[in-house]
Amino acid sequence: MFARRTDLPLDKDPLSRFLPWLIAFMVFLAALAQTGLIGLDDLARRWDSGMAATLTVQIPADPDANEAVNARLLQSAMNMLSETQGVVRASVISHDKVLELLSPWLGVVDAGDVPLPRLIDVEVDPALKVNTGELQQKLSQTIPGAQVDDHGVWLARLVDMVRTLELLAATVLGLILLSVMATVMFATRTGLTVHAEAIEVLHLTGAHDRYIAKQFASRALGLGLRGGLYGLGLAVPTLFALGHMAGRIQAGLLPEMSLPIWGWASLALLPALSAFVAGLTARFTVMRNLRRML
Amino acid sequence: MDIDPNTPIARFENVGLRYGLGPEVLQDVSFVLRPGSYHFLVGPSGAGKSSLLKLMYLALRPSRGLVHLFGHDIATAARNDLPALRRSIGVVFQDYRLLDHLSTFDNVALPLRVANIRESDVKHHVEELLAWVGLKDHMHARPPTLSGGQKQRVSIARAVISRPKLLMADEPTGNVDDRMGFRLMHLFEELNKLGTTIVVATHNEAMVQQLGHPVMRLVDGALAVTPGSRGSAV
Ligand SMILES: Nc1ncnc2c1ncn2[C@@H]1O[C@H](COP(=O)(O)OP(=O)(O)OP(=O)(O)O)[C@@H](O)[C@H]1O
Ligand SMILES: [Mg+2]
């Protein structure tokens, strides 16, 4: 298709040389924005479903009290939770697990060395909206110092922020699409001006507008594909490098953030998309501009 | 396109033409071209000969008056119908207007390709015609490397390759010596005998006299038609 003879010397246009690189740059940006979008969406979804439905109840350990008292306090907290509407499941987190959770901050410690708080992992029905304030009040009346840790609140804010970032990424993608179209439109208009004489000859020999448009469109399609491949070629190593860097810091802090297979597939589609958009834009531009001629 | 054999090839009625806000270059031009006719179009430089031809090959629309081609009023013809009309018209432009980046072969093939003719047929027809106009050896040459007379023959070959019903030539002998001029004229005579309607704009009064076809004379934008001296044309 690209080796096709054209009646217009379109490949000699100065813009033909720059167009693939302009498109490459935009596809590169689009690949980053799209990866961000997919990654953020994935993240927000996992947070939404995985963590928003849990609470943690923390019962401070009283080093002076004996084991039996502590156990009784824990048990009354468990009872209270099981009577609370909306609580699906409550389970005490074992000492070992607590130590493990704390290890990044405390290093390896022995269970007997420090007074450890007891933690209760509470699963709630997200539909029932457990009133955490009320629960907090009820618990601390009987158990001094009991804390209800509601991940939901800050998580919801975090998810909100992620959603905003997603919107931003989607906007960036949209703007990139518009830029590609504007660039191709500009290049095509220039081509129409440069080749006005030859186009008139084609018209006068009986060419339909679509015959001329096809030449511009297949040229733009080729350039768009080439630009898209260049851009993707630049984006993939960049994404790998970013992924590697993120992998090194995420250990305890960031939830795992990786591009699913379909995400990579959607990136691979970008060159096809840029080719398609370029071709279609060129065709549209030519058809619209030629209509003004006799 | 079906054309009634009695339908005039071209009919102008009170045609006026002005460029932009300028003066009328053509005024009340009226004439009829019958199928198979052969006319010379003469007149001093700037009289409007090229402008008249441009109206006939649909490069311009008249400022007023009626232009009918093959029975179609071009003022009301849809833009999409114009290519079909243009494919029935061959034009030899005053300045050839060959596409410099295309070979001789591709230049001549243009009207066929534009009409979506099969590539195998294109090859056959173009090679045959190039041989006939003596350019077989220059098939792959590009116009800038050809002599004036060779370019002229390429442009004529392009004009006739699709067997147009109407052939217009704007000063086709302007840039060649007399001998070549008469050879080209002979080609037009042959085409005319095969039924092509022909209009040739020229300054060459000697040739007009010798060939004796009817003459359309433009003076200051007004047209007068005088019958030919040999009565072969209608
Ligand atoms: N594109 C144009 N814009 C404005 N004026 C034009 C244009 N083309 C031609 N004219 C004017 O129209 C008039 C007729 O020009 P035209 O080219 O038709 O003359 P012609 O008879 O073909 O002359 P020649 O014998 O020198 O080729 C001239 O006065 C010319 O200046
Ligand atoms: Mg002229």
mmCIF file of all heavy atoms in Angstrom, chain A residues 5-9 197-198 200-209 211 290-291 293-294, chain B residues 57-61 79-80 82-83 86-87 93 97 99 101-102 106 110-111 113-114 116 158:
data_model
loop_
_atom_site.group_PDB
_atom_site.id
_atom_site.type_symbol
_atom_site.label_atom_id
_atom_site.label_comp_id
_atom_site.label_asym_id
_atom_site.label_seq_id
_atom_site.Cartn_x
_atom_site.Cartn_y
_atom_site.Cartn_z
ATOM 1 N N ARG A 5 2.210 3.803 -6.350
ATOM 2 C CA ARG A 5 2.547 4.984 -7.124
ATOM 3 C C ARG A 5 1.504 6.061 -6.818
ATOM 4 O O ARG A 5 0.318 5.782 -6.741
ATOM 5 C CB ARG A 5 2.478 4.615 -8.605
ATOM 6 C CG ARG A 5 2.653 5.754 -9.564
ATOM 7 C CD ARG A 5 2.116 5.323 -10.916
ATOM 8 N NE ARG A 5 0.723 4.928 -10.798
ATOM 9 C CZ ARG A 5 -0.278 5.782 -10.794
ATOM 10 N NH1 ARG A 5 -0.064 7.064 -10.875
ATOM 11 N NH2 ARG A 5 -1.520 5.354 -10.686
ATOM 12 N N THR A 6 1.958 7.275 -6.605
ATOM 13 C CA THR A 6 0.988 8.345 -6.420
ATOM 14 C C THR A 6 1.170 9.362 -7.530
ATOM 15 O O THR A 6 2.267 9.534 -8.035
ATOM 16 C CB THR A 6 1.155 9.064 -5.062
ATOM 17 O OG1 THR A 6 2.474 9.603 -5.001
ATOM 18 C CG2 THR A 6 0.919 8.120 -3.907
ATOM 19 N N ASP A 7 0.079 9.996 -7.893
ATOM 20 C CA ASP A 7 0.143 10.984 -8.965
ATOM 21 C C ASP A 7 0.701 12.300 -8.456
ATOM 22 O O ASP A 7 1.088 13.153 -9.225
ATOM 23 C CB ASP A 7 -1.257 11.208 -9.552
ATOM 24 C CG ASP A 7 -1.800 9.921 -10.138
ATOM 25 O OD1 ASP A 7 -0.987 9.123 -10.633
ATOM 26 O OD2 ASP A 7 -3.018 9.710 -10.095
ATOM 27 N N LEU A 8 0.701 12.469 -7.147
ATOM 28 C CA LEU A 8 1.211 13.707 -6.566
ATOM 29 C C LEU A 8 2.499 13.386 -5.819
ATOM 30 O O LEU A 8 2.583 12.372 -5.135
ATOM 31 C CB LEU A 8 0.177 14.290 -5.585
ATOM 32 C CG LEU A 8 -1.185 14.594 -6.201
ATOM 33 C CD1 LEU A 8 -2.201 14.925 -5.123
ATOM 34 C CD2 LEU A 8 -1.063 15.752 -7.174
ATOM 35 N N PRO A 9 3.519 14.233 -5.935
ATOM 36 C CA PRO A 9 4.801 13.943 -5.288
ATOM 37 C C PRO A 9 4.760 14.283 -3.809
ATOM 38 O O PRO A 9 5.503 15.121 -3.318
ATOM 39 C CB PRO A 9 5.782 14.844 -6.036
ATOM 40 C CG PRO A 9 4.949 16.002 -6.489
ATOM 41 C CD PRO A 9 3.548 15.498 -6.690
ATOM 42 N N GLU A 197 -1.400 23.052 -8.518
ATOM 43 C CA GLU A 197 -1.342 22.934 -9.981
ATOM 44 C C GLU A 197 -1.623 21.506 -10.439
ATOM 45 O O GLU A 197 -2.437 21.279 -11.327
ATOM 46 C CB GLU A 197 0.060 23.328 -10.462
ATOM 47 C CG GLU A 197 0.326 24.813 -10.423
ATOM 48 C CD GLU A 197 0.419 25.373 -11.829
ATOM 49 O OE1 GLU A 197 0.538 24.557 -12.770
ATOM 50 O OE2 GLU A 197 0.359 26.598 -11.980
ATOM 51 N N ALA A 198 -0.918 20.574 -9.807
ATOM 52 C CA ALA A 198 -1.078 19.163 -10.193
ATOM 53 C C ALA A 198 -2.503 18.700 -9.893
ATOM 54 O O ALA A 198 -3.100 17.940 -10.663
ATOM 55 C CB ALA A 198 -0.067 18.295 -9.456
ATOM 56 N N GLU A 200 -5.146 20.541 -9.964
ATOM 57 C CA GLU A 200 -6.048 21.054 -10.989
ATOM 58 C C GLU A 200 -5.979 20.188 -12.245
ATOM 59 O O GLU A 200 -7.003 19.894 -12.872
ATOM 60 C CB GLU A 200 -5.726 22.523 -11.331
ATOM 61 C CG GLU A 200 -6.883 23.127 -12.098
ATOM 62 C CD GLU A 200 -6.621 24.521 -12.639
ATOM 63 O OE1 GLU A 200 -5.487 25.013 -12.509
ATOM 64 O OE2 GLU A 200 -7.562 25.102 -13.206
ATOM 65 N N VAL A 201 -4.759 19.767 -12.591
ATOM 66 C CA VAL A 201 -4.633 18.890 -13.763
ATOM 67 C C VAL A 201 -5.401 17.590 -13.542
ATOM 68 O O VAL A 201 -6.122 17.110 -14.422
ATOM 69 C CB VAL A 201 -3.144 18.606 -14.079
ATOM 70 C CG1 VAL A 201 -3.020 17.534 -15.150
ATOM 71 C CG2 VAL A 201 -2.444 19.884 -14.518
ATOM 72 N N LEU A 202 -5.275 17.030 -12.337
ATOM 73 C CA LEU A 202 -6.020 15.803 -12.034
ATOM 74 C C LEU A 202 -7.525 16.035 -12.174
ATOM 75 O O LEU A 202 -8.238 15.234 -12.775
ATOM 76 C CB LEU A 202 -5.709 15.318 -10.613
ATOM 77 C CG LEU A 202 -4.341 14.683 -10.387
ATOM 78 C CD1 LEU A 202 -4.191 14.222 -8.950
ATOM 79 C CD2 LEU A 202 -4.139 13.504 -11.331
ATOM 80 N N HIS A 203 -7.977 17.149 -11.632
ATOM 81 C CA HIS A 203 -9.404 17.475 -11.743
ATOM 82 C C HIS A 203 -9.828 17.581 -13.198
ATOM 83 O O HIS A 203 -10.844 17.042 -13.605
ATOM 84 C CB HIS A 203 -9.696 18.808 -11.045
ATOM 85 C CG HIS A 203 -10.202 18.624 -9.653
ATOM 86 N ND1 HIS A 203 -10.023 19.576 -8.666
ATOM 87 C CD2 HIS A 203 -10.879 17.612 -9.075
ATOM 88 C CE1 HIS A 203 -10.571 19.133 -7.558
ATOM 89 N NE2 HIS A 203 -11.089 17.948 -7.778
ATOM 90 N N LEU A 204 -9.013 18.313 -13.969
ATOM 91 C CA LEU A 204 -9.397 18.566 -15.360
ATOM 92 C C LEU A 204 -9.339 17.301 -16.208
ATOM 93 O O LEU A 204 -9.985 17.217 -17.244
ATOM 94 C CB LEU A 204 -8.500 19.651 -15.975
ATOM 95 C CG LEU A 204 -8.698 21.056 -15.358
ATOM 96 C CD1 LEU A 204 -7.756 22.056 -15.987
ATOM 97 C CD2 LEU A 204 -10.149 21.517 -15.497
ATOM 98 N N THR A 205 -8.547 16.315 -15.762
ATOM 99 C CA THR A 205 -8.554 15.059 -16.504
ATOM 100 C C THR A 205 -9.656 14.130 -16.005
ATOM 101 O O THR A 205 -9.754 12.993 -16.441
ATOM 102 C CB THR A 205 -7.202 14.324 -16.407
ATOM 103 O OG1 THR A 205 -6.797 14.298 -15.056
ATOM 104 C CG2 THR A 205 -6.134 15.012 -17.231
ATOM 105 N N GLY A 206 -10.465 14.625 -15.076
ATOM 106 C CA GLY A 206 -11.646 13.859 -14.688
ATOM 107 C C GLY A 206 -11.535 13.119 -13.368
ATOM 108 O O GLY A 206 -12.289 12.178 -13.126
ATOM 109 N N ALA A 207 -10.598 13.537 -12.516
ATOM 110 C CA ALA A 207 -10.471 12.863 -11.221
ATOM 111 C C ALA A 207 -11.577 13.325 -10.273
ATOM 112 O O ALA A 207 -11.897 14.510 -10.216
ATOM 113 C CB ALA A 207 -9.114 13.152 -10.608
ATOM 114 N N HIS A 208 -12.151 12.364 -9.551
ATOM 115 C CA HIS A 208 -13.077 12.711 -8.474
ATOM 116 C C HIS A 208 -12.260 13.202 -7.285
ATOM 117 O O HIS A 208 -11.098 12.840 -7.129
ATOM 118 C CB HIS A 208 -13.874 11.476 -8.046
ATOM 119 C CG HIS A 208 -15.074 11.227 -8.904
ATOM 120 N ND1 HIS A 208 -16.227 11.962 -8.782
ATOM 121 C CD2 HIS A 208 -15.285 10.339 -9.897
ATOM 122 C CE1 HIS A 208 -17.109 11.533 -9.664
ATOM 123 N NE2 HIS A 208 -16.562 10.543 -10.365
ATOM 124 N N ASP A 209 -12.921 13.974 -6.414
ATOM 125 C CA ASP A 209 -12.251 14.439 -5.197
ATOM 126 C C ASP A 209 -11.708 13.264 -4.402
ATOM 127 O O ASP A 209 -10.622 13.312 -3.837
ATOM 128 C CB ASP A 209 -13.228 15.236 -4.314
ATOM 129 C CG ASP A 209 -13.577 16.573 -4.937
ATOM 130 O OD1 ASP A 209 -12.910 16.954 -5.922
ATOM 131 O OD2 ASP A 209 -14.521 17.223 -4.450
ATOM 132 N N TYR A 211 -10.585 10.487 -5.395
ATOM 133 C CA TYR A 211 -9.356 9.941 -5.985
ATOM 134 C C TYR A 211 -8.149 10.704 -5.447
ATOM 135 O O TYR A 211 -7.129 10.123 -5.074
ATOM 136 C CB TYR A 211 -9.440 10.057 -7.502
ATOM 137 C CG TYR A 211 -8.219 9.544 -8.249
ATOM 138 C CD1 TYR A 211 -8.123 8.219 -8.641
ATOM 139 C CD2 TYR A 211 -7.163 10.405 -8.577
ATOM 140 C CE1 TYR A 211 -7.025 7.749 -9.329
ATOM 141 C CE2 TYR A 211 -6.054 9.944 -9.266
ATOM 142 C CZ TYR A 211 -5.992 8.613 -9.639
ATOM 143 O OH TYR A 211 -4.883 8.167 -10.309
ATOM 144 N N LEU A 290 -11.410 20.669 -1.292
ATOM 145 C CA LEU A 290 -11.636 20.575 -2.737
ATOM 146 C C LEU A 290 -13.052 20.996 -3.105
ATOM 147 O O LEU A 290 -13.292 21.453 -4.215
ATOM 148 C CB LEU A 290 -11.377 19.144 -3.228
ATOM 149 C CG LEU A 290 -9.921 18.687 -3.214
ATOM 150 C CD1 LEU A 290 -9.786 17.326 -3.861
ATOM 151 C CD2 LEU A 290 -9.021 19.698 -3.928
ATOM 152 N N ARG A 291 -13.957 20.827 -2.176
ATOM 153 C CA ARG A 291 -15.340 21.169 -2.468
ATOM 154 C C ARG A 291 -15.485 22.637 -2.875
ATOM 155 O O ARG A 291 -16.428 23.015 -3.539
ATOM 156 C CB ARG A 291 -16.216 20.861 -1.248
ATOM 157 C CG ARG A 291 -17.623 20.490 -1.603
ATOM 158 C CD ARG A 291 -18.350 19.962 -0.386
ATOM 159 N NE ARG A 291 -17.702 18.780 0.171
ATOM 160 C CZ ARG A 291 -17.742 18.467 1.466
ATOM 161 N NH1 ARG A 291 -18.360 19.224 2.319
ATOM 162 N NH2 ARG A 291 -17.148 17.373 1.890
ATOM 163 N N MET A 293 -13.416 24.120 -4.781
ATOM 164 C CA MET A 293 -12.939 24.338 -6.147
ATOM 165 C C MET A 293 -14.025 23.943 -7.131
ATOM 166 O O MET A 293 -14.979 23.267 -6.776
ATOM 167 C CB MET A 293 -11.692 23.482 -6.406
ATOM 168 C CG MET A 293 -10.522 23.853 -5.535
ATOM 169 S SD MET A 293 -9.134 22.721 -5.740
ATOM 170 C CE MET A 293 -8.618 23.096 -7.410
ATOM 171 N N LEU A 294 -13.831 24.377 -8.396
ATOM 172 C CA LEU A 294 -14.819 24.002 -9.410
ATOM 173 C C LEU A 294 -14.572 22.573 -9.831
ATOM 174 O O LEU A 294 -13.454 22.198 -10.088
ATOM 175 C CB LEU A 294 -14.695 24.927 -10.627
ATOM 176 C CG LEU A 294 -15.595 24.557 -11.810
ATOM 177 C CD1 LEU A 294 -17.060 24.691 -11.409
ATOM 178 C CD2 LEU A 294 -15.284 25.411 -13.000
ATOM 179 N N TYR B 57 -13.549 23.689 -20.941
ATOM 180 C CA TYR B 57 -13.035 22.499 -20.237
ATOM 181 C C TYR B 57 -13.258 22.563 -18.724
ATOM 182 O O TYR B 57 -12.639 21.844 -17.950
ATOM 183 C CB TYR B 57 -11.595 22.136 -20.628
ATOM 184 C CG TYR B 57 -10.479 23.128 -20.391
ATOM 185 C CD1 TYR B 57 -10.029 23.439 -19.107
ATOM 186 C CD2 TYR B 57 -9.814 23.697 -21.470
ATOM 187 C CE1 TYR B 57 -8.968 24.296 -18.906
ATOM 188 C CE2 TYR B 57 -8.735 24.570 -21.284
ATOM 189 C CZ TYR B 57 -8.328 24.863 -20.000
ATOM 190 O OH TYR B 57 -7.264 25.724 -19.804
ATOM 191 N N LEU B 58 -14.205 23.398 -18.343
ATOM 192 C CA LEU B 58 -14.704 23.413 -16.973
ATOM 193 C C LEU B 58 -13.655 23.776 -15.925
ATOM 194 O O LEU B 58 -13.651 23.249 -14.819
ATOM 195 C CB LEU B 58 -15.336 22.061 -16.604
ATOM 196 C CG LEU B 58 -16.529 21.647 -17.445
ATOM 197 C CD1 LEU B 58 -17.007 20.255 -17.049
ATOM 198 C CD2 LEU B 58 -17.653 22.649 -17.271
ATOM 199 N N ALA B 59 -12.766 24.700 -16.314
ATOM 200 C CA ALA B 59 -11.835 25.230 -15.319
ATOM 201 C C ALA B 59 -12.395 26.510 -14.722
ATOM 202 O O ALA B 59 -11.928 26.985 -13.693
ATOM 203 C CB ALA B 59 -10.473 25.484 -15.936
ATOM 204 N N LEU B 60 -13.397 27.071 -15.385
ATOM 205 C CA LEU B 60 -14.038 28.305 -14.922
ATOM 206 C C LEU B 60 -15.545 28.187 -15.114
ATOM 207 O O LEU B 60 -16.011 27.448 -15.975
ATOM 208 C CB LEU B 60 -13.568 29.498 -15.772
ATOM 209 C CG LEU B 60 -12.173 30.077 -15.602
ATOM 210 C CD1 LEU B 60 -11.992 31.225 -16.592
ATOM 211 C CD2 LEU B 60 -11.977 30.589 -14.187
ATOM 212 N N ARG B 61 -16.270 28.945 -14.307
ATOM 213 C CA ARG B 61 -17.708 29.080 -14.539
ATOM 214 C C ARG B 61 -17.969 30.469 -15.097
ATOM 215 O O ARG B 61 -17.278 31.424 -14.732
ATOM 216 C CB ARG B 61 -18.486 28.933 -13.227
ATOM 217 C CG ARG B 61 -18.654 27.507 -12.767
ATOM 218 C CD ARG B 61 -19.573 27.482 -11.540
ATOM 219 N NE ARG B 61 -19.488 26.212 -10.822
ATOM 220 C CZ ARG B 61 -20.207 25.140 -11.143
ATOM 221 N NH1 ARG B 61 -21.040 25.176 -12.163
ATOM 222 N NH2 ARG B 61 -20.088 24.034 -10.445
ATOM 223 N N ARG B 79 -21.569 18.878 -8.579
ATOM 224 C CA ARG B 79 -20.114 18.812 -8.596
ATOM 225 C C ARG B 79 -19.625 17.388 -8.859
ATOM 226 O O ARG B 79 -18.620 17.166 -9.520
ATOM 227 C CB ARG B 79 -19.597 19.302 -7.243
ATOM 228 C CG ARG B 79 -18.108 19.369 -7.162
ATOM 229 C CD ARG B 79 -17.623 19.920 -5.849
ATOM 230 N NE ARG B 79 -16.286 19.425 -5.608
ATOM 231 C CZ ARG B 79 -15.238 19.793 -6.316
ATOM 232 N NH1 ARG B 79 -15.363 20.684 -7.265
ATOM 233 N NH2 ARG B 79 -14.062 19.273 -6.090
ATOM 234 N N ASN B 80 -20.392 16.439 -8.379
ATOM 235 C CA ASN B 80 -20.023 15.037 -8.547
ATOM 236 C C ASN B 80 -20.171 14.534 -9.983
ATOM 237 O O ASN B 80 -19.630 13.503 -10.345
ATOM 238 C CB ASN B 80 -20.892 14.189 -7.619
ATOM 239 C CG ASN B 80 -20.052 13.305 -6.732
ATOM 240 O OD1 ASN B 80 -18.862 13.144 -6.982
ATOM 241 N ND2 ASN B 80 -20.661 12.738 -5.718
ATOM 242 N N LEU B 82 -19.318 16.427 -12.632
ATOM 243 C CA LEU B 82 -18.331 17.070 -13.496
ATOM 244 C C LEU B 82 -17.230 16.125 -13.966
ATOM 245 O O LEU B 82 -16.855 16.167 -15.141
ATOM 246 C CB LEU B 82 -17.721 18.298 -12.791
ATOM 247 C CG LEU B 82 -18.715 19.418 -12.465
ATOM 248 C CD1 LEU B 82 -17.987 20.615 -11.860
ATOM 249 C CD2 LEU B 82 -19.478 19.856 -13.711
ATOM 250 N N PRO B 83 -16.686 15.248 -13.089
ATOM 251 C CA PRO B 83 -15.628 14.350 -13.582
ATOM 252 C C PRO B 83 -16.045 13.557 -14.818
ATOM 253 O O PRO B 83 -15.264 13.411 -15.751
ATOM 254 C CB PRO B 83 -15.368 13.433 -12.381
ATOM 255 C CG PRO B 83 -15.666 14.300 -11.208
ATOM 256 C CD PRO B 83 -16.856 15.127 -11.629
ATOM 257 N N ARG B 86 -15.777 15.802 -17.729
ATOM 258 C CA ARG B 86 -14.382 16.116 -18.039
ATOM 259 C C ARG B 86 -13.669 14.944 -18.718
ATOM 260 O O ARG B 86 -12.731 15.139 -19.480
ATOM 261 C CB ARG B 86 -13.639 16.492 -16.762
ATOM 262 C CG ARG B 86 -13.976 17.895 -16.287
ATOM 263 C CD ARG B 86 -13.388 18.157 -14.921
ATOM 264 N NE ARG B 86 -13.538 19.557 -14.538
ATOM 265 C CZ ARG B 86 -13.756 19.947 -13.289
ATOM 266 N NH1 ARG B 86 -13.855 19.067 -12.321
ATOM 267 N NH2 ARG B 86 -13.866 21.236 -13.020
ATOM 268 N N ARG B 87 -14.121 13.735 -18.401
ATOM 269 C CA ARG B 87 -13.472 12.576 -19.026
ATOM 270 C C ARG B 87 -13.796 12.472 -20.500
ATOM 271 O O ARG B 87 -13.152 11.729 -21.236
ATOM 272 C CB ARG B 87 -13.907 11.289 -18.310
ATOM 273 C CG ARG B 87 -13.203 11.121 -16.982
ATOM 274 C CD ARG B 87 -13.759 9.984 -16.174
ATOM 275 N NE ARG B 87 -13.359 10.149 -14.781
ATOM 276 C CZ ARG B 87 -13.674 9.297 -13.818
ATOM 277 N NH1 ARG B 87 -14.376 8.233 -14.099
ATOM 278 N NH2 ARG B 87 -13.273 9.526 -12.586
ATOM 279 N N PHE B 93 -2.940 21.885 -23.147
ATOM 280 C CA PHE B 93 -2.794 23.218 -22.567
ATOM 281 C C PHE B 93 -1.693 23.987 -23.272
ATOM 282 O O PHE B 93 -0.733 23.404 -23.782
ATOM 283 C CB PHE B 93 -2.473 23.111 -21.071
ATOM 284 C CG PHE B 93 -3.525 22.396 -20.280
ATOM 285 C CD1 PHE B 93 -3.372 21.053 -19.945
ATOM 286 C CD2 PHE B 93 -4.681 23.048 -19.875
ATOM 287 C CE1 PHE B 93 -4.332 20.372 -19.224
ATOM 288 C CE2 PHE B 93 -5.653 22.378 -19.146
ATOM 289 C CZ PHE B 93 -5.482 21.038 -18.824
ATOM 290 N N ARG B 97 1.330 21.652 -19.096
ATOM 291 C CA ARG B 97 0.899 21.224 -17.762
ATOM 292 C C ARG B 97 1.120 19.731 -17.523
ATOM 293 O O ARG B 97 0.239 19.031 -17.001
ATOM 294 C CB ARG B 97 -0.569 21.602 -17.525
ATOM 295 C CG ARG B 97 -0.773 23.099 -17.711
ATOM 296 C CD ARG B 97 -2.147 23.525 -17.358
ATOM 297 N NE ARG B 97 -2.332 23.626 -15.910
ATOM 298 C CZ ARG B 97 -3.385 24.174 -15.338
ATOM 299 N NH1 ARG B 97 -4.342 24.657 -16.071
ATOM 300 N NH2 ARG B 97 -3.481 24.241 -14.043
ATOM 301 N N LEU B 99 2.923 16.678 -15.452
ATOM 302 C CA LEU B 99 3.350 16.543 -14.061
ATOM 303 C C LEU B 99 4.814 16.098 -14.061
ATOM 304 O O LEU B 99 5.146 14.989 -14.491
ATOM 305 C CB LEU B 99 2.472 15.536 -13.320
ATOM 306 C CG LEU B 99 0.969 15.879 -13.337
ATOM 307 C CD1 LEU B 99 0.187 14.925 -12.441
ATOM 308 C CD2 LEU B 99 0.732 17.322 -12.905
ATOM 309 N N HIS B 101 7.025 15.170 -11.954
ATOM 310 C CA HIS B 101 7.577 14.056 -11.180
ATOM 311 C C HIS B 101 7.140 12.707 -11.745
ATOM 312 O O HIS B 101 7.546 11.668 -11.248
ATOM 313 C CB HIS B 101 7.140 14.173 -9.727
ATOM 314 C CG HIS B 101 5.652 14.198 -9.605
ATOM 315 N ND1 HIS B 101 4.894 15.303 -9.894
ATOM 316 C CD2 HIS B 101 4.780 13.219 -9.275
ATOM 317 C CE1 HIS B 101 3.626 15.022 -9.729
ATOM 318 N NE2 HIS B 101 3.524 13.771 -9.359
ATOM 319 N N LEU B 102 6.264 12.732 -12.749
ATOM 320 C CA LEU B 102 5.806 11.475 -13.339
ATOM 321 C C LEU B 102 6.516 11.240 -14.666
ATOM 322 O O LEU B 102 6.848 12.185 -15.376
ATOM 323 C CB LEU B 102 4.296 11.514 -13.584
ATOM 324 C CG LEU B 102 3.381 11.582 -12.365
ATOM 325 C CD1 LEU B 102 1.918 11.525 -12.813
ATOM 326 C CD2 LEU B 102 3.669 10.442 -11.405
ATOM 327 N N ASP B 106 3.499 7.600 -17.223
ATOM 328 C CA ASP B 106 2.496 7.903 -16.193
ATOM 329 C C ASP B 106 1.701 9.164 -16.505
ATOM 330 O O ASP B 106 0.521 9.257 -16.171
ATOM 331 C CB ASP B 106 3.173 8.036 -14.819
ATOM 332 C CG ASP B 106 3.603 6.686 -14.272
ATOM 333 O OD1 ASP B 106 3.016 5.666 -14.678
ATOM 334 O OD2 ASP B 106 4.541 6.640 -13.447
ATOM 335 N N LEU B 110 -2.448 9.072 -17.004
ATOM 336 C CA LEU B 110 -3.243 9.754 -15.979
ATOM 337 C C LEU B 110 -4.758 9.704 -16.212
ATOM 338 O O LEU B 110 -5.502 9.289 -15.312
ATOM 339 C CB LEU B 110 -2.755 11.202 -15.857
ATOM 340 C CG LEU B 110 -3.006 11.878 -14.523
ATOM 341 C CD1 LEU B 110 -2.344 11.091 -13.404
ATOM 342 C CD2 LEU B 110 -2.462 13.298 -14.557
ATOM 343 N N PRO B 111 -5.245 10.097 -17.391
ATOM 344 C CA PRO B 111 -6.708 10.098 -17.575
ATOM 345 C C PRO B 111 -7.330 8.712 -17.428
ATOM 346 O O PRO B 111 -8.473 8.594 -16.989
ATOM 347 C CB PRO B 111 -6.887 10.619 -19.005
ATOM 348 C CG PRO B 111 -5.633 11.369 -19.302
ATOM 349 C CD PRO B 111 -4.551 10.650 -18.567
ATOM 350 N N ARG B 113 -6.082 6.203 -15.460
ATOM 351 C CA ARG B 113 -6.028 5.809 -14.049
ATOM 352 C C ARG B 113 -7.074 6.544 -13.234
ATOM 353 O O ARG B 113 -7.694 5.973 -12.331
ATOM 354 C CB ARG B 113 -4.639 6.083 -13.493
ATOM 355 C CG ARG B 113 -3.649 5.066 -14.023
ATOM 356 C CD ARG B 113 -2.280 5.284 -13.472
ATOM 357 N NE ARG B 113 -1.416 4.173 -13.843
ATOM 358 C CZ ARG B 113 -0.119 4.302 -14.086
ATOM 359 N NH1 ARG B 113 0.451 5.478 -13.980
ATOM 360 N NH2 ARG B 113 0.592 3.260 -14.423
ATOM 361 N N VAL B 114 -7.232 7.812 -13.565
ATOM 362 C CA VAL B 114 -8.244 8.615 -12.876
ATOM 363 C C VAL B 114 -9.631 8.008 -13.096
ATOM 364 O O VAL B 114 -10.509 8.094 -12.245
ATOM 365 C CB VAL B 114 -8.141 10.063 -13.419
ATOM 366 C CG1 VAL B 114 -9.438 10.763 -13.347
ATOM 367 C CG2 VAL B 114 -7.069 10.810 -12.666
ATOM 368 N N ASN B 116 -10.120 4.848 -13.308
ATOM 369 C CA ASN B 116 -10.078 3.488 -12.746
ATOM 370 C C ASN B 116 -10.047 2.390 -13.800
ATOM 371 O O ASN B 116 -10.666 1.336 -13.631
ATOM 372 C CB ASN B 116 -11.267 3.254 -11.814
ATOM 373 C CG ASN B 116 -11.091 3.997 -10.517
ATOM 374 O OD1 ASN B 116 -9.989 4.021 -9.959
ATOM 375 N ND2 ASN B 116 -12.151 4.624 -10.038
ATOM 376 N N ARG B 158 -1.668 12.626 -23.875
ATOM 377 C CA ARG B 158 -2.509 12.610 -22.679
ATOM 378 C C ARG B 158 -3.925 13.091 -22.999
ATOM 379 O O ARG B 158 -4.906 12.590 -22.448
ATOM 380 C CB ARG B 158 -1.892 13.494 -21.582
ATOM 381 C CG ARG B 158 -2.681 13.448 -20.281
ATOM 382 C CD ARG B 158 -2.090 14.333 -19.211
ATOM 383 N NE ARG B 158 -2.129 15.741 -19.578
ATOM 384 C CZ ARG B 158 -1.540 16.714 -18.887
ATOM 385 N NH1 ARG B 158 -0.861 16.415 -17.789
ATOM 386 N NH2 ARG B 158 -1.605 17.959 -19.284
#
